[in-house]
Amino acid sequence: MAAITPYTYIQCPCSDSSTLGRSSDTNSSRADGADDDDDRTFDPRAPRSNYSLYPLEYLLYCEDCHQIRCPRCVAEEIVTYYCPNCLFEVPSSNLKSEGNRCTRSCFQCPICIGPLAVTSVETKPDPSLLAAPDNTAAPQSGPYALTCSYCNWSSTEVGIKFDKPNGIHAQLSKLRNGGTARLTAKERKERRRDPSYRSSAATEQGDGRSGSDEKLDLETQFANLKSFYQSQLADPNASDGGLAALSDLGFSSPTSLSRIMSIYTGGSLHDKKAKLRVGAIREALEVDEGLQLADLDESAAIAQLHSEGHDGTASTSRLSDQPPNFGEAHLHGRSRFVSELRPIPYLLRTKRSKRCPVCRHIISKPEAKVQTTRFRIRLVAGSYIPSIAIRPLSLSSGSGTSASGSAGIPGALLEPLKPAHYLLTFTNPIFESIKVTLGAPAKTPGRFASKVTVLCPEFEIDANTDVWDEALKDPSGAGELRDRERERERRRHKGEEGGNVSNNNNQLEVGKIWERGRNWVSIVVEVVPAWLRLEHGTEEQRLREDEDLLEIPMFVRVEWEAEAVGDEVGAVVGRDKEAREKRELAYWCVLGLGRIRH
Amino acid sequence: MSLRRPPRGEYIETDTGNKVARKATLVGTQNIMLGGKTVIQPEVMIRGDLVRTIQASSQSGATPNSTAVAIGRYCFLSRGCCLRPPGRLYKGAFTYMPLRMGDHVFVGPGSVVQAASIGSHVHIGAKVVIGEFAIIKDYVRILDGTVVPPNMVIPNFSIVAGQPARLIGEVPEGGHEAFELRDLYKTVGNNPQPAPS
Amino acid sequence: MSSKRHSILPPVSSSGPKPPVHFSSSITIADSALLTGTHPIAIHSESVVHPRAKLDSLAGRITIGRRCIIHERSTLGAVGTSGKITEAAVTLGDYVTVEVGAAIEAGETVIGEGTVVGVGARVGAGAVVGKHCTLTPHSEIAAGEVVPDLTVVYSNGMRRTDKREVAELKNKGIARQIDVLRRMIPSNPAKFA
Amino acid sequence: MSAPTGSAPLPHRTVANIRSPPGAGHHQSGPSTPIRHIPSNFGSPSSLRADEEILIIEIGTRKLQVGFSGDPAPRGCVWFCPDQQRRVGDFRDWQTDYRYDWRSAAAGGLWGRDHELWQYDVRGVNLGLVGDKIERALGEAFTKYLLIDSRPRRMVWVLPSALPIPVLSAALDSVFSRFQSPTISLLSSPLALAVGAGVRSALVIDLGWSETVVTSVYEYREVDSKRSIRGGRMLVEHTHKLLAKNLPETQGGPDGKDKYVVSFEECSDITTRMVWCKPRPRSASGQPSSDALATVQEQDEGELEDRPVSRRTGSVTVPIRSWLSPTSLELPFDALAEPCEDAFFESQYSPTSFDDHELPLHLLVYRSLLQLPVDVRALCMSRIIFTGGCSNVLGLRGRIFDEVSHLIQERGWDPVRGKGVDQLRCNPKLRKRDARQAGDGPTGVMSPPGEGEEQDGVWHDAANMIPEIDFIDEQLQRATDRRPRVQGTLRPIESLGAWSGASLVTHLKALAIATIDREGWLQHGAAGASKPSDADYKTQRQSLGPGGLMRGSAAGSAWTLGVWGAT
């Protein structure tokens, strides 16, 4: 795999297992080394690390607790529900009643999950030519079908057509694959009340599907069972007692196997209502009560499998994209053949605001309307903790601007055992000058230890001036930039002859800053990449994924003086509690430098 | 194929600050609107000649303008990408519809865009294909090699990828600034400035 | 009006020999299309060749059927893996659409009627693509491969069969599209004659 | 904790108001909150306020299903897979140049392990990682499918009863510390399945991923459970064997020393799509039903070879992408039934050659039935529930059913009453003998087919003499003597599935097996568990009696986690 542009991941302090109220977990987390106190080195490759590392832009910051907040440790609140296809804002009340998917006409293709468009079947048009965005330009004449303009799937392939070009969701819920009608929940209830319909209803639910016609579909069986159980309860509304016989569950356990162990103290939410009336209910005995005999003869399906072969079956990924199909009984509503797939109503999406879990302050809050991108509150970590830019010192720097992910350093692999130098540029976003202390292990953890030397582990960065007057005094700023660039050029040339970069004004000497700017400081880190050779006899004969990746864990401690805000929370943050003025932030981060040749 | 730096400057810099490479292919310039400060790199192709032939009142207001491609400010069209208006049958006849693009839109090298509209602060990676009449909202990131199928709608703050495109993530709160293209604008032109570190 | 005044069309290296052409009178070919090669290039009635489309007959004859649309930047007859000269390099049936940046390599390569070669798709040398197929953008057909009629190639090489039976409608649509294009694209067959 | 200060703008305040106050979870929706009766409206989770929505979460080895109590089916299902275990913001799976190198992922015998949440063998399981996986999966499920925010909600977990305590507590740790749910109730899947089928007793055959578990549920009690490692994973392994066998030899290279030639993802996909199970071969008419099992099977093997070929000629092509070079494999359709045979039946070997942990499924089922008390057996055998991922393998359920009924026909149950247990103990010896003198004449238990049923019918009444059942049974008489319960005959029934069952249970406000209070857990955790010295079957029985309420509830909480006992 091609070499990567250098990157930085930050570990949110919240995943320090001590801050989690984990009682029994500590030992295990120590075992895998993902546990990170200052003294122990953090291993980026430990399996748990992937769950605690974040790019800077994913992190928020609580101004009151003066602490980083990651997606894991914020409390979210939903501001808006909307359909990602028609961008319709769904009121939360509808959400309760109509579920988590768009109930208008927004569907995804069950084959390729591209968007489906409503097209007229009579004048079968090519959707890519006719279909309008958002299905608004409905074709003239019915019947209609859902067609995919990417893979050309059409709902007619599973025998589904619609009478109206709108309200597809409602129409679809009444249709089985193959086009046979299906009763909605309400209709079914009405039928149940009216016994004369029973037989007809049963048959109607049965047809259009292989297997016995007796089969209840998932939703019906559930409904029947529920009403059966409820009917069995002496007084369904009496909250206490509940489904009395089921309360046996509370005591069931394979004691016969004597596999009992521990008792958990702590109240059960059912304690108060455990009034036991054993035997108040009997078993379900017939279909109307939800009893469903299994039909184990699947020879028909096997024959179909044989005839249709691999192409006739749906891949597991397709199946997992399918919404639960209440209309089918077998395989608990899971389908197997492509002919059983159904159009996928778009899952709704949400806009969410975020709170600090500790002080409950809102740290991110988007405007409610779907179309707007403004935020009322947006406290991102990037404007509170220094950002780290990495660039190789001896290579020609392409300085990947964040806007274009494609631009980056030319993908050069690191040579094993050959010292390489990287320039770490720390930029201070806040308006006080900060003191940065870096701690990195001399050897990277893992099977292949690369040597790491941070030449200047301790330095100060001047305060940030307002971003805008920087932008305004463009010429000077640009001038400064150009100078720096020329300087770099010069250094680069030096750098090329004979790998190491030692010259007059910028010595590679320990404890010395490489370069300093208005609100940034760049230092040099020297790495000696490990030799990725696998000793034979190890049970693993090959590199694991990313083991050729040179990632150095680095513990960053940022200290600064801030005017005292009279709230405890702020002072408590950091290790030393005595100085109210003093603020401190400490966290692990991972610098990905590049891949090592192997 | 093109020289590093032709003598008279690689770019034509307009008074509104657009930087148009001499090696870019703009067909039907009179139908191409540039908002200013937009960079068009070499070998970019824009089909301004494919104008709407039916002035439908239903679509995008009845203003009978002949704009085929409208591009906002600080857009960056990378080398070799292609912008062309989407076309379809409308009321029995075929017509092209305008392609509208907001501000700070980055179009990666080799990408082909036939969307109906692209919002602001959109990052389109390299070798991306955006199908006809796709609607892309703001702060959307489309990873390299993605194929956005026709008519797809991509809401704000989406990260999409795949063939066909599917939602794979959301742009985090801290990721908005990354869409800003002012700095990138400075790095190209006849006297480019280095990007700030 | 000539779109030249209204366009920035940097000159392209029109290197290579000028191929003999057999154009139907009713075709539309942009003046900035590129035709090179030594073998004949035949374009039948009402087909449209967009600007900057490249037809290269070095490796053999190129035949384009009726009412085909060759979009900009597509290459027909690009000398593919097999650099050998063949009798017919590329043959397009009627109603074939070759979208932006698609490449069809030379060497007895055949594209069936009504097939759409999607944006940036590649058809390898000697491949035979059936009728009314759809090659979605960026899909690749290996050299020498035979793709049956009505095949849809999508999502990195997955295959399925198009069951919509919309062939004739698509053709109608293409016809209408051509009606518009021939008004928009100033045709200059003479330049290539 | 400090309340929101005035610094926050108004809109924020409004939101703040609908928020429950800090840590409200514990106080406001405490244990005693009565659950409002939910109107039977199917599409909807409930018309309840957020804090009253109860989440049903079924956690399996490979996937996690979530939804709201009262729904007929889960809203979403999250599979555990590698790309879910990447760092946030790592989209490499979607980069065009990136190909998931399954070989390096599979290194060290980890083939497919990154698709599993846990292993039942807790040695070497990274418990913290289990917690992380569950947390992330739940997070995804909440955001993507349930569309709920992090307001406190009660949860009901449906778990396999074999889940080891350490894993369970790791999961609880992670969820309690990351999500604000005030309580988590636990429910074992066999019980949920029984409820979901509308029966009080059942024989639940869970054809799961890591193992197959046969659990006998009697009157909503798990009275017995037997397990065999023959599960989905083994099936996929065998599918891989099949593919590897049919693929050309991998030419040297680093792949030479690889155990696997095809990626797990592809194998499991092919397994789900294409693998099927042959019906039980009819034994030749002349065959005396009492013949030793081994011989019968060998005979059938012979038939298996030739018969189907005549029936199912033709072959299927299976595309293989993850091999050295993408190719497509031509396989006879019958070959696709082999993995099933090898993984679940292995009929070619004599029953004695299996350890208890690797019994073929039909033997497993038969044995679990055999060792049940007759009346329990009578009920269970006519309420057989198939579940688990492998129950989707076409024909497998029918095959197992036929095999079992064949076994019963052959051997029946021990006619002598009360010897059921002895029968089981001496059974292996018995069968060894069979195996040795395979073929020569009837051995073992002679019992004409069908006899078993009647006997059961008879004995069921006798069952009243078994003391423990006494109480329940008399209770049952009241409710059920109107119609006799079906019993004694083998009968498969369809369950809605564990998730839906749990949804019913919760919706109907029945007891869960255990309900763990958040604060309690965070304080004590697993350590806080007191020894179950006092808790024994007696107390359980009494608690059912009238007035046993407090003791009952105590026992209830005491017994609850017993199901998930592990050493």
Side-chain angles (χ1 to χ4, degrees):
Chain A
M1 194 174 140
I4 39 84
T5 48
Y7 58 82
T8 315
Y9 274 91
I10 295 176
Q11 190 200 32
C12 177
C14 79
S15 50
D16 181 351
S17 64
S18 60
T19 64
L20 304 181
R22 298 202 177 181
S23 40
S24 71
D25 192 28
T26 42
N27 46 2
S28 66
S29 60
R30 291 200 187 288
D32 61 56
D35 176 271
D36 40 282
D37 313 323
D38 301 15
D39 54 353
R40 70 172 56 242
T41 297
F42 166 69
D43 178 6
R45 247 182 231 101
R48 290 196 64 186
S49 303
N50 282 2
Y51 293 85
S52 59
L53 288 171
Y54 294 93
L56 180 55
E57 59 266 28
Y58 282 81
L59 297 176
L60 298 169
Y61 186 87
C62 175
E63 275 188 321
D64 302 83
C65 308
H66 303 285
Q67 188 50 273
I68 299 175
R69 296 291 174 218
C70 71
R72 252 176 143 186
C73 63
V74 294
E76 291 186 323
E77 289 156 25
I78 293 178
V79 177
T80 316
Y81 305 87
Y82 66 94
C83 164
N85 188 56
C86 59
L87 301 181
F88 176 75
E89 284 183 30
V90 181
S92 53
S93 54
N94 294 26
L95 201 81
K96 302 287 180 211
S97 54
E98 290 164 356
N100 56 345
R101 296 175 181 268
C102 179
T103 54
R104 308 169 94 201
S105 299
C106 306
F107 288 89
Q108 285 176 293
C109 174
I111 300 293
C112 71
I113 71 121
L116 293 176
V118 182
T119 53
S120 157
V121 177
E122 290 313 304
T123 69
K124 302 192 198 69
D126 183 348
S128 63
L129 288 178
L130 189 55
D134 197 6
N135 312 337
T136 46
Q140 308 74 16
S141 61
Y144 303 89
L146 288 168
T147 46
C148 173
S149 44
Y150 178 72
C151 73
N152 294 349
W153 181 84
S154 162
S155 64
T156 53
E157 288 182 27
V158 294
I160 289 186
K161 294 180 186 172
F162 307 99
D163 311 330
K164 297 188 271 77
N166 46 15
I168 298 294
H169 190 277
Q171 297 183 62
L172 184 64
S173 65
K174 297 196 185 71
L175 284 172
R176 278 218 181 78
N177 284 16
T180 54
R182 179 177 164 267
L183 295 176
T184 63
K186 192 184 280 89
E187 289 168 326
R188 212 178 300 104
K189 258 190 285 164
E190 283 150 9
R191 299 247 168 151
R192 249 203 313 284
R193 289 204 201 80
D194 185 348
S196 65
Y197 276 118
R198 285 227 178 124
S199 53
S200 62
T203 48
E204 217 181 311
Q205 282 151 12
D207 56 27
R209 196 169 61 254
S210 64
S212 80
D213 282 6
E214 262 300 332
K215 272 196 175 174
L216 296 167
D217 63 39
L218 178 59
E219 195 175 8
T220 322
Q221 191 184 359
F222 188 86
N224 293 0
L225 267 176
K226 186 155 75 175
S227 51
F228 163 69
Y229 281 129
Q230 277 162 346
S231 71
Q232 287 293 304
L233 295 175
D235 174 11
N237 292 329
S239 71
D240 56 3
L243 189 43
L246 285 179
S247 62
D248 292 1
L249 295 177
F251 317 105
S252 61
S253 74
T255 55
S256 45
L257 304 183
S258 68
R259 286 168 49 228
I260 315 97
M261 341 243 325
S262 46
I263 305 174
Y264 283 90
T265 53
S268 142
L269 74 149
H270 306 290
D271 284 355
K272 303 276 186 300
K273 47 178 110 101
K275 190 182 297 169
L276 302 165
R277 289 166 295 160
V278 180
I281 69 162
R282 54 176 175 82
E283 290 186 327
L285 292 172
E286 57 197 34
V287 170
D288 282 346
E289 296 173 344
L291 178 73
Q292 171 73 68
L293 296 190
D295 168 27
L296 299 188
D297 175 20
E298 292 166 324
S299 51
I302 294 178
Q304 190 183 355
L305 182 65
H306 182 237
S307 58
E308 295 192 14
H310 188 270
D311 297 344
T313 60
S315 72
T316 40
S317 60
R318 279 175 196 162
L319 289 176
S320 59
D321 285 331
Q322 282 283 300
N325 183 354
F326 295 151
E328 299 298 330
H330 63 312
L331 304 185
H332 307 306
R334 264 187 51 192
S335 32
R336 162 188 304 269
F337 294 103
V338 172
S339 56
E340 294 170 315
L341 296 175
R342 291 171 69 84
I344 307 164
Y346 268 90
L347 279 162
L348 298 178
R349 278 174 64 185
T350 54
K351 290 180 108 176
R352 338 186 120 221
S353 66
K354 293 174 182 154
R355 263 178 206 281
C356 172
V358 178
C359 67
R360 316 303 304 176
H361 281 86
I362 289 196
I363 50 183
S364 161
K365 182 172 176 54
E367 299 228 339
K369 288 179 70 258
V370 173
Q371 302 283 8
T372 61
T373 58
R374 284 189 302 278
F375 275 68
R376 292 222 176 85
I377 304 169
R378 191 167 65 92
L379 308 178
V380 299
S383 42
Y384 295 90
I385 68 178
S387 63
I388 309 176
I390 308 167
R391 94 158 39 86
L393 198 47
S394 52
L395 300 176
S396 67
S397 140
S399 71
T401 63
S402 49
S404 71
S406 51
I409 62 161
L413 292 174
L414 287 153
E415 290 302 332
L417 306 181
K418 184 163 167 288
H421 298 91
Y422 281 84
L423 207 57
L424 308 186
T425 306
F426 292 74
T427 312
N428 172 15
I430 66 174
F431 300 132
E432 285 87 16
S433 68
I434 59 174
K435 177 165 175 291
V436 179
T437 319
L438 305 175
K443 285 178 177 295
T444 57
R447 285 201 295 175
F448 309 100
S450 304
K451 291 202 191 61
V452 181
T453 322
V454 180
L455 291 187
C456 180
E458 203 164 332
F459 51 87
E460 297 242 344
I461 310 180
D462 299 339
N464 184 12
T465 52
D466 196 308
V467 190
W468 286 117
D469 42 320
E470 180 199 15
L472 294 182
K473 61 178 168 71
D474 193 30
S476 66
E480 175 206 17
L481 288 171
R482 262 199 294 283
D483 304 341
R484 279 166 47 205
E485 182 56 20
R486 266 193 234 95
E487 206 177 336
R488 281 205 207 89
E489 289 289 349
R490 229 176 40 250
R491 254 185 255 110
R492 252 178 250 122
H493 296 314
K494 296 242 170 34
E496 264 130 29
E497 67 245 7
N500 75 326
V501 195
S502 58
N503 63 43
N504 43 18
N505 57 356
N506 278 80
Q507 300 289 351
L508 257 191
E509 46 183 81
V510 179
K512 195 149 180 290
I513 285 175
W514 177 262
E515 195 180 13
R516 161 189 299 282
R518 184 175 52 81
N519 67 328
W520 55 268
V521 161
S522 47
I523 60 161
V524 176
V525 58
E526 178 178 89
V527 290
V528 182
W531 186 16
L532 304 180
R533 193 202 45 178
L534 292 149
E535 307 75 10
H536 290 283
T538 53
E539 84 287 356
E540 289 189 49
Q541 290 306 324
R542 56 167 72 244
L543 288 178
R544 301 197 204 92
E545 182 171 36
D546 285 355
E547 250 186 334
D548 59 339
L549 197 55
L550 176 48
E551 283 186 331
I552 58 180
M554 180 178 276
F555 191 73
V556 180
R557 170 177 278 111
V558 184
E559 295 158 281
W560 71 98
E561 301 280 319
E563 72 285 359
V565 189
D567 72 307
E568 293 311 306
V569 201
V572 173
V573 168
R575 302 297 182 274
D576 46 353
K577 295 168 177 52
E578 71 285 349
R580 300 189 97 273
E581 304 296 322
K582 193 166 180 189
R583 294 270 162 68
E584 173 179 340
L585 208 54
Y587 49 87
W588 279 99
C589 66
V590 175
L591 311 180
L593 299 185
R595 295 191 179 272
I596 306 173
R597 184 183 307 283
H598 65 282
Chain B
M1 57 178 276
S2 68
L3 301 154
R4 276 293 285 108
R5 181 68 59 86
R8 56 190 179 131
E10 198 178 356
Y11 287 89
I12 305 168
E13 307 203 352
T14 70
D15 44 11
T16 52
N18 299 310
K19 299 174 183 174
V20 182
R22 298 186 189 277
K23 284 201 170 301
T25 307
L26 275 61
V27 190
T29 42
Q30 74 278 22
N31 305 326
I32 303 174
M33 300 297 156
L34 297 183
K37 304 248 178 185
T38 281
V39 174
I40 300 178
Q41 288 201 305
E43 292 149 51
V44 169
M45 187 167 194
I46 303 180
R47 292 298 301 274
D49 56 333
L50 304 179
V51 291
R52 167 194 293 179
T53 46
I54 301 174
Q55 292 299 343
S57 56
S58 71
Q59 304 284 340
S60 69
T63 51
N65 60 351
S66 69
T67 303
V69 177
I71 301 176
R73 311 182 74 240
Y74 284 110
C75 291
F76 192 102
L77 309 183
S78 311
R79 179 178 291 267
C81 72
C82 173
L83 269 51
R84 72 196 314 258
R88 64 176 174 103
L89 288 176
Y90 182 76
K91 296 188 177 148
F94 183 90
T95 181
Y96 284 99
M97 297 290 185
L99 159 58
R100 308 189 183 282
M101 191 180 268
D103 306 338
H104 296 277
V105 177
F106 177 92
V107 182
S111 294
V112 178
V113 178
Q114 294 180 267
S117 86
I118 293 179
S120 293
H121 300 95
V122 174
H123 178 92
I124 299 170
K127 297 231 178 321
V128 169
V129 177
I130 298 190
E132 293 187 297
F133 292 102
I135 297 178
I136 299 172
K137 295 296 184 178
D138 304 341
Y139 290 101
V140 170
R141 178 175 300 274
I142 301 175
L143 302 194
D144 296 359
T146 304
V147 175
V148 176
N151 308 323
M152 184 177 185
V153 179
I154 304 181
N156 297 334
F157 300 113
S158 305
I159 303 177
V160 299
Q163 302 187 7
R166 68 155 75 195
L167 177 85
I168 63 163
E170 299 198 1
V171 175
E173 284 88 343
H176 301 184
E177 289 68 20
F179 290 93
E180 173 67 44
L181 293 186
R182 282 192 178 81
D183 292 335
L184 185 60
Y185 169 78
K186 293 187 198 136
T187 61
V188 295
N190 294 333
N191 51 355
Q193 301 162 0
S197 53
Chain C
M1 65 164 193
S2 94
S3 83
K4 237 176 145 57
R5 271 208 338 276
H6 296 281
S7 300
I8 304 176
L9 287 164
V12 283
S13 55
S14 54
S15 59
K18 200 172 179 189
V21 294
H22 309 303
F23 288 167
S24 149
S25 58
S26 57
I27 72 160
T28 307
I29 181 164
D31 144 300
S32 63
L34 288 108
L35 276 63
T36 59
T38 50
H39 299 74
I41 294 179
I43 303 179
H44 294 101
S45 56
E46 300 189 44
S47 287
V48 176
V49 180
H50 278 259
R52 291 295 155 92
K54 189 172 182 206
L55 311 184
D56 179 346
S57 69
L58 269 173
R61 173 162 42 80
I62 288 185
T63 314
I64 294 176
R66 295 166 37 249
R67 289 186 171 170
C68 294
I69 304 180
I70 313 300
H71 285 279
E72 62 264 34
R73 293 187 162 180
S74 52
T75 15
L76 273 61
V79 179
T81 50
S82 67
K84 62 180 187 298
I85 310 294
T86 53
E87 166 53 23
V90 174
T91 312
L92 268 53
D94 301 345
Y95 293 103
V96 170
T97 307
V98 181
E99 291 187 344
V100 182
I104 300 172
E105 294 179 353
E108 305 286 352
T109 314
V110 180
I111 308 290
E113 173 189 340
T115 286
V116 178
V117 181
V119 175
R122 309 196 66 80
V123 179
V128 177
V129 180
K131 295 181 176 177
H132 307 295
C133 293
T134 308
L135 312 185
T136 60
H138 286 322
S139 35
E140 308 231 343
I141 304 299
E145 200 174 341
V146 175
V147 180
D149 294 357
L150 291 168
T151 305
V152 182
V153 183
Y154 67 103
S155 298
N156 302 317
M158 307 245 268
R159 307 276 172 107
R160 58 185 307 274
T161 310
D162 188 342
K163 303 199 183 72
R164 294 171 306 160
E165 298 147 354
V166 293
E168 71 292 339
L169 269 140
K170 281 169 72 181
N171 293 355
K172 280 209 199 72
I174 290 173
R176 300 215 186 94
Q177 187 176 359
I178 289 173
D179 298 342
V180 173
L181 285 175
R182 65 195 319 170
R183 272 184 281 142
M184 286 182 177
I185 300 175
S187 181
N188 183 4
K191 173 184 173 186
F192 307 97
Chain D
M1 0 192 147
S2 64
T5 61
S7 66
L10 272 170
H12 146 209
R13 286 197 166 284
T14 57
V15 181
N17 295 343
I18 61 170
R19 284 288 291 108
S20 45
H26 331 291
H27 321 308
Q28 112 189 1
S29 56
S32 57
T33 314
I35 311 168
R36 198 194 307 153
H37 177 66
I38 302 170
S40 52
N41 171 3
F42 305 115
S44 78
S46 61
S47 48
L48 302 178
R49 292 197 306 278
D51 57 314
E52 292 192 354
E53 286 170 345
I54 301 183
L55 307 181
I56 311 286
I57 300 166
E58 181 180 358
I59 306 176
T61 306
R62 286 194 62 192
K63 65 176 197 279
L64 179 137
Q65 290 176 291
V66 293
F68 295 106
S69 144
D71 278 8
R75 287 255 172 122
C77 168
V78 179
W79 290 81
F80 299 100
C81 55
D83 56 341
Q84 182 189 44
Q85 295 155 28
R86 302 207 183 282
R87 291 172 189 168
V88 168
D90 178 349
F91 296 124
R92 71 179 62 186
D93 295 276
W94 298 97
Q95 280 160 12
T96 39
D97 57 346
Y98 175 77
R99 270 189 66 253
Y100 172 62
D101 181 5
W102 64 268
R103 287 190 171 80
S104 56
L110 292 176
W111 191 71
R113 287 299 178 198
D114 47 11
H115 288 258
E116 295 177 2
L117 168 60
W118 53 46
Q119 284 84 43
Y120 282 162
D121 176 5
V122 288
R123 289 166 302 177
V125 170
N126 180 341
L127 294 174
L129 187 58
V130 171
D132 287 341
K133 284 183 180 178
I134 287 195
E135 177 197 338
R136 185 172 281 188
L138 273 184
E140 181 187 339
F142 288 179
T143 333
K144 193 174 164 198
Y145 295 109
L146 297 191
L147 304 174
I148 56 178
D149 48 31
S150 35
R151 256 170 283 180
R153 284 174 176 78
R154 282 193 299 267
M155 296 186 187
V156 173
W157 287 10
V158 187
L159 299 167
S161 37
L163 188 60
I165 272 284
V167 177
L168 174 60
S169 61
L172 287 169
D173 280 336
S174 145
V175 172
F176 268 135
S177 52
R178 288 300 188 182
F179 302 92
Q180 301 303 314
S181 45
T183 62
I184 293 181
S185 309
L186 306 179
L187 198 56
S188 83
S189 33
L191 295 170
L193 279 155
V195 176
V199 293
R200 299 171 60 95
S201 311
L203 186 77
V204 176
I205 303 175
D206 179 357
L207 304 159
W209 171 249
S210 36
E211 58 183 10
T212 293
V213 188
V214 178
T215 314
S216 327
V217 177
Y218 181 74
E219 296 302 329
Y220 296 125
R221 271 194 212 79
E222 292 182 28
V223 293
D224 177 30
S225 105
K226 290 199 173 307
R227 50 199 70 249
S228 158
I229 56 164
R230 301 178 179 276
R233 182 169 176 93
M234 197 179 237
L235 180 62
V236 174
E237 297 268 4
H238 279 285
T239 312
H240 178 271
K241 277 211 194 74
L242 174 73
L243 297 177
K245 194 176 66 194
N246 289 275
L247 282 165
E249 277 304 314
T250 60
Q251 50 274 43
D255 312 298
K257 51 184 183 270
D258 273 333
K259 180 162 167 241
Y260 294 100
V261 299
V262 182
S263 78
F264 170 84
E265 292 74 14
E266 193 146 38
C267 273
S268 78
D269 184 52
I270 292 172
T271 313
T272 341
R273 297 171 72 159
M274 294 311 291
V275 168
W276 60 287
C277 180
K278 287 178 181 159
R280 177 171 187 288
R282 306 267 160 282
S283 40
S285 53
Q287 192 78 22
S289 66
S290 64
D291 217 355
L293 182 63
T295 10
V296 177
Q297 296 301 349
E298 276 150 20
Q299 269 248 0
D300 297 342
E301 272 306 301
E303 296 177 10
L304 275 176
E305 293 327 309
D306 49 20
R307 214 224 287 92
V309 178
S310 55
R311 198 173 72 255
R312 301 200 186 284
T313 50
S315 58
V316 290
T317 45
V318 179
I320 309 275
R321 282 162 154 243
S322 66
W323 194 53
L324 295 176
S325 61
T327 171
S328 73
L329 195 56
E330 188 89 4
L331 285 172
F333 187 70
D334 276 350
L336 288 163
E338 288 168 15
C340 207
E341 294 293 329
D342 302 344
F344 294 134
F345 299 106
E346 295 210 279
S347 330
Q348 64 273 29
Y349 302 115
S350 88
T352 54
S353 56
F354 301 110
D355 290 345
D356 283 357
H357 72 285
E358 56 166 28
L359 277 178
L361 297 192
H362 53 293
L363 287 178
L364 186 73
V365 176
Y366 177 71
R367 281 201 187 178
S368 12
L369 278 173
L370 197 56
Q371 98 163 46
L372 291 173
V374 277
D375 55 340
V376 179
R377 180 199 305 152
L379 285 172
C380 287
M381 72 186 294
S382 47
R383 289 155 183 74
I384 295 180
I385 299 174
F386 288 94
T387 183
C390 296
S391 61
N392 295 321
V393 174
L394 287 179
L396 179 56
R397 298 186 300 168
R399 170 69 178 277
I400 294 174
F401 188 81
D402 294 348
E403 293 283 0
V404 171
S405 51
H406 173 75
L407 275 178
I408 295 174
Q409 270 190 14
E410 280 215 337
R411 311 179 173 183
W413 320 105
D414 179 18
V416 189
R417 184 171 168 278
K419 278 264 185 60
V421 193
D422 307 337
Q423 157 84 8
L424 178 70
R425 218 187 300 108
C426 63
N427 209 11
K429 249 188 275 107
L430 200 70
R431 283 214 232 84
K432 263 196 214 68
R433 208 169 64 241
D434 299 359
R436 250 185 267 107
Q437 29 177 278
D440 50 356
T443 50
V445 195
M446 286 285 288
S447 58
E451 191 185 330
E453 284 80 346
E454 296 133 31
Q455 286 167 340
D456 279 337
V458 178
W459 296 330
H460 170 65
D461 305 333
N464 298 334
M465 294 146 85
I466 300 179
E468 302 110 344
I469 314 304
D470 219 355
F471 180 76
I472 298 295
D473 240 289
E474 87 191 21
Q475 298 280 344
L476 287 173
Q477 293 314 324
R478 286 204 242 104
T480 59
D481 52 359
R482 296 195 277 107
R483 310 190 215 171
R485 289 182 294 176
V486 184
Q487 58 187 21
T489 56
L490 274 184
R491 182 184 66 164
I493 59 177
E494 201 71 70
S495 170
L496 285 169
W499 189 96
S500 311
S503 169
L504 267 175
V505 174
T506 322
H507 179 67
L508 297 164
K509 302 182 293 294
L511 270 185
I513 285 188
T515 296
I516 303 149
D517 176 57
R518 179 162 193 268
E519 282 176 326
W521 179 269
L522 289 183
Q523 284 162 19
H524 311 99
S530 58
K531 290 286 151 285
S533 49
D534 55 349
D536 66 335
Y537 206 58
K538 286 281 186 302
T539 53
Q540 177 187 359
R541 296 248 28 82
Q542 293 159 2
S543 69
L544 290 175
L549 181 133
M550 283 332 288
R551 191 126 96 290
S553 57
S557 49
W559 282 97
T560 54
L561 272 247
V563 186
W564 284 276
T567 48

